[in-house]
Amino acid sequence: MHSPCLPPAMEPADLIWRDGVPESTRFGDVYFSRDNGLAETRYVFIGHNQLPERFQQVPDTGHFVIAETGFGTGLNFLASWAEWLKQRPADDNAILHFVSVERFPLRLQDLEKALSYWPDLSPLATKLIEHYPPLIKGTHRLVLAGGRVRLTLYFGDVLDAWNDLTFTADAWFLDGFAPSLNPDMWLDDAIGLITSHSKSGTTLATFTAVGRVRRSLAEAGFEIAKVPGFGRKREMLAGIYAPGNATKQEAKTGTVAIIGAGIAGTLLACNLAERGVQVLLLDKAPHAGSAASGNPQGALYVKLGVEYNAQTELSATALSFSQRFYRPWQNRFWHPTGLLQLATDDQEADRQRRFCDRNDYPADLLEPVDAMRASELAGIAVNTGGLWFPGSGWLEPAKACQQLAEHPLIETRFSYQVANLLPCNNQWCIRNHSGEDSRADAVVIAGGHESPALVPVGGQLRLKAIRGQVTELPEADFNLPQAVICGTKYVNPVHGGRAVTGATFDLKDSTRHPTRAGHQENLDELQRSLPSVVKGLLPDPDQLQGRVAFRCTTHDYQPVAGRMQDTEGNHLNDLYLLTGLGSKGLVWAPLLAEYLADVISGQPHCLPAPLSKRLETGRLYRT
């Protein structure tokens, strides 16, 4: 067993149960009232933040943000979710955002037990449990109720959370354990940071009435009052932020045009449309998923770094989010078979040993396996061990793009070759090669390696195309695995009588059709790393089918998602870039679409600042 101090694992809460109420052994305090925890939540937090009436006042495409210190059992979140559904029309597009931090998150089995005491919340609790993230440090976005509720759950220290997260709260739940038992959470620094995420009119409620907490909140700009507490608690605090400044205006999002209908563009289009945003989706091809996203199969795969740094955290976050995101699409275009990352040579075996020695990932995200266990999971003989990702699998990318683009708020214009972008009367004019113009309030360039030609500013962007050729393996000629297997290349399970393997990595070859040499390279690597796949002699490469696509990557092999900057670092109004996803686009695209939709719509960001900084467009220019 690894030490719990190894990254990225979080130290979970240790609980004892007394009369059906969980207590923290670390803090010696209960997670909710012994009298009636749900009634206390509704009285203290929902009632004293006036949430029922305020929820009703949110416009159809607006959003409301609750921020909380101490996620605990999630009871406050579930009660807020239930109240939101009660007060909102069933068919509107308004979103409840709930931002919460937890230093010692509950294990899944403890969460299930704690929430089992509230049968009224059972349907919502079931969904929370289904989406509960692995206990790894960082920020986790859970998209619930078809996108009507979004939970941003930060596993880590409260000061780090409030320093790194981007949001403005409409209401605060100051929960967590009593100030005398958990003083770090009630530090003046933490309370001071609360104001940086508040606006005039932001409300606050807390079960405590401790004098120094009241004074700190007052000094931070809140008008605080003592009011009767719940049950045996005589008093509590409630207040409103009134610093004298004007209320921050909610961002208004008009029509957003997205150029490029690959996996990144269609995921973003779908994400925005589900938030009530009108989307214009443009592509030069006759249908969605025609370029790099057009392969019949693609693996949901990342290669996590040996060191748990920001780059690795971003990859792990994207992997976890994508696995949750694709779940509703199972048996439509998502196939969660699990994925085996093999140590196919001595160098990779050494890398995986160092990876396991320096990191502690929960088994529901990944676990090391030996050759015998790897063979059982793969369903074919495997000569080496590796890393098993139980929540991964493979997708049908072309089908995914086509289904994601089907939404009443998405207007598609295919066979539309964009020639240039022109600012015009506070909008963007998008002109095609035939001289036709389309207009939008904002534009996202998601055109893969062709994106630089569309950016209306000077300066060379460090984006490059990488040719990748895949080969289709007929089921009759190969012993195909039951899970995705990745090494230097990948091979998928059978689908429709064949499976895809590949892909080549050609930086200088611009050939657009499959070649014999490309097929031979894929077959040779398959025979070397997985000899059990091959039945007898390899088939003639000229008799095999395949496909060529050009993946777009950046100089640092990290994706791009954010506001477009010029060479001086200035943002171009309402122009965004989403590209550079390389060969891991199926993993990157759901998280980056969620993040960019947050940015465009002015909603809380699903990524903390240290990670979103890695996605900025300005780094693409040569310095």
Side-chain angles (χ1 to χ4, degrees), residues 48 80 82 133 171 181 194 208 240 266 291 321 324 329-330 344 353 369 392 400 430 486 488 521 552 558 577:
H48 282 88
S80 301
L181 301 172
I194 286 172
T208 188
I240 187 169
T266 54
F321 182 85
R324 291 192 300 274
W329 303 92
Q330 185 170 340
T344 54
R353 277 193 297 271
V369 293
S392 281
I430 309 156
C486 292
T488 53
E521 178 185 329
C552 177
Q558 292 288 283
L577 187 62

Side-chain angles (χ1 to χ4, degrees), residues 461-464 553-558 560 616-622:
L461 298 179
R462 289 183 288 178
L463 295 171
K464 54 188 175 184
T553 192
T554 62
H555 64 290
D556 56 9
Y557 293 95
Q558 292 288 283
V560 183
E616 289 181 351
T617 62
R619 75 181 206 279
L620 297 180
Y621 296 106
R622 296 185 184 277

Side-chain angles (χ1 to χ4, degrees), residues 211-405:
R212 78 175 169 80
V213 172
R214 178 174 54 81
R215 289 190 294 272
S216 293
L217 289 170
E219 289 170 3
F222 283 89
E223 293 180 356
I224 295 292
K226 283 185 180 181
V227 295
F230 176 82
R232 287 172 283 184
K233 293 183 179 177
R234 206 173 66 181
E235 294 176 318
M236 58 166 279
L237 300 177
I240 187 169
Y241 190 57
N245 61 313
T247 301
K248 297 176 184 176
Q249 294 298 311
E250 188 169 286
K252 295 187 183 298
T253 306
T255 299
V256 177
I258 300 173
I259 304 173
I263 192 66
T266 54
L267 275 167
L268 178 60
C270 183
N271 196 310
L272 287 168
E274 289 181 345
R275 300 182 193 223
V277 177
Q278 184 69 49
V279 177
L280 177 62
L281 182 62
L282 309 171
D283 200 290
K284 67 177 184 179
H287 56 77
S290 296
S293 299
N295 288 342
Q297 290 183 304
L300 192 73
Y301 167 63
V302 294
K303 194 167 186 177
L304 299 171
V306 171
E307 305 299 334
Y308 196 76
N309 50 27
Q311 179 175 331
T312 305
E313 182 179 344
L314 185 58
S315 296
T317 302
L319 177 63
S320 177
F321 182 85
S322 64
Q323 291 174 351
R324 291 192 300 274
F325 174 84
Y326 289 127
R327 199 171 296 155
W329 303 92
Q330 185 170 340
N331 299 323
R332 295 173 67 181
F333 57 71
W334 165 234
H335 306 272
T337 58
L339 181 145
L340 187 62
Q341 181 187 335
L342 288 182
T344 54
D345 53 36
D346 291 343
Q347 182 178 358
E348 177 60 17
D350 177 65
R351 195 194 79 85
Q352 289 193 13
R353 277 193 297 271
R354 290 183 286 114
F355 174 86
C356 292
D357 287 342
R358 300 180 192 181
N359 296 275
D360 183 11
Y361 285 86
D364 55 348
L365 190 65
L366 70 91
E367 62 176 327
V369 293
D370 60 18
M372 180 179 295
R373 179 59 177 152
S375 299
E376 293 174 359
L377 293 166
I380 59 173
V382 173
N383 295 334
T384 65
L387 301 174
W388 171 247
F389 295 80
S392 281
W394 63 276
L395 295 95
E396 300 171 71
K399 184 185 287 188
C401 293
Q402 290 158 23
Q403 292 189 15
L404 290 164

Side-chain angles (χ1 to χ4, degrees), residues 4 15-16 50 70 94 160 209 243 277 292 311 324 327 356 388 432-433 435 444 457:
L15 307 184
I16 55 173
Q50 303 92 45
D160 292 335
V277 177
Q311 179 175 331
R324 291 192 300 274
R327 199 171 296 155
C356 292
W388 171 247
N432 71 3
H433 278 309
V444 181
V457 292

Side-chain angles (χ1 to χ4, degrees), residues 73-74 77-78 81 108 111-112 115-116 118-132 142 144-145 327:
T73 66
F77 166 63
L78 293 178
W81 180 358
L108 183 61
L111 184 72
E112 290 179 291
L115 295 179
S116 68
W118 313 111
D120 289 354
L121 300 175
S122 179
L124 307 186
T126 298
K127 292 299 181 183
L128 173 61
I129 289 163
E130 287 176 2
H131 288 78
Y132 196 57
L142 279 62
L144 302 158
R327 199 171 296 155

